[in-house]
Amino acid sequence: MELTTVGGNIESSSFTNYGSSHIDMVCADDDQEDEEIQLQWAAIERLPTFKRLRTSLFEKTSNDELQGKKLVTDVTKLGGVERRLFIEKLINHTENDNLKLLQRLKERIDRVHVRLPTVEVRYKNLIVEAECEIVQGKPLPTLWNSLTSSFSVFKKAIKSKSGEAKISILKDVNGIIKPSRLTLLLGPPGCGKTTLLLALSGKLDHSLKATGDISYNGYRLDEFVPKKTSAYISQYDLHIPEMTVRETIDFSARCQGVGSRADILMEVSRKEKEVGIVPDPDVDTYMKAISVEGQKRNLQTDYVLKILGLDICADTIVGSALRRGVSGGQKKRLTTGWRKKKTLLVARLN
């Protein structure tokens, strides 16, 4: 009994010593890794501003001895495979991981008290009218009817308004679209939903007469360029059929630029440097990669493809009625994806 007890004590003490030594080794490795990250980040902080906003700690995913290690990397030189694997690492499950990524981005920005630009749309006493011609019955598209309709120009010249009438499409419409919210516009067919969205985006047809006040953050439509702030997404999907889905989004990103992302990143980076905050390497890499202007291939494209479920057809041509391409639902998501504006006005996403 004594020998058994002594043997058991020796065995248990050996396991305890092994477990404690293993934990100490793991803690030592973690501390060493943290020290390496601190040294690498200090090296990035010493770079000039232009290079600092393009350099980040990127975890290598190649199949060599550097796999899994974070190295100082220029985000503009990431390859296509590296971008795709990085997005898959950030967003494995679209619904949950995308929300987590957005929360991590918001936490970094809020930590240094930087306010993101927002847009509030207000419309008051909005009236849209159309002038219509009254016809006796429905005219058939015959040669005689086409000939007589051409004389309507002369009737207008002599101010003959006996065959004209005004129709009110919108009458005294008021409302506010709050920033950072999803506003749903509901109504029966023909009630003027599309006309309202076109009026708010500044794309109303010139043949329609619109009165009332429309403002973005207090500025009227004639005081700025609405196309740089808002985008109207039509129910019709108009794309170049010969381009692939990835090429369409890349081309749109190069035309629209990065917007205010570069200025926000510069302000966040400056304040973090003053306070001495070391950001999350993955969040820092993502923000820097999407803020570089003039790239032919952008990380933002891989992000949009992932969250919209278009990564499975990224290299498929869009197609048209005469050329087979992506499906109708994928084409509708593509129409939404290449609009990178602060305010999106969508007409019936079925």
Side-chain angles (χ1 to χ4, degrees), residues 182-199:
L182 179 63
T183 304
L184 184 61
L185 179 62
L186 297 176
C191 67
K193 300 186 298 295
T194 302
T195 304
L196 175 60
L197 296 179
L198 288 171

Side-chain angles (χ1 to χ4, degrees), residues 65-83:
E65 66 271 5
L66 299 177
Q67 183 177 3
K69 293 185 177 180
K70 289 183 172 60
L71 301 177
V72 178
T73 308
D74 189 347
V75 295
T76 62
K77 297 180 180 179
L78 296 179
V81 178
E82 291 178 321
R83 292 195 305 269

Side-chain angles (χ1 to χ4, degrees), residues 159-172:
K159 299 182 179 180
S160 176
K161 297 185 179 181
S162 58
E164 294 181 355
K166 286 186 178 181
I167 297 179
S168 295
I169 303 176
L170 299 176
K171 186 176 181 180
D172 290 333

Side-chain angles (χ1 to χ4, degrees), residues 57 82 97 153 157 172 232 246 265 295 312 322 342 347:
L57 293 179
E82 291 178 321
D97 295 341
V153 179
D172 290 333
Y232 170 76
R246 185 185 300 275
L265 176 63
Q295 294 186 95
I312 59 175
L322 301 178
K342 297 181 180 65

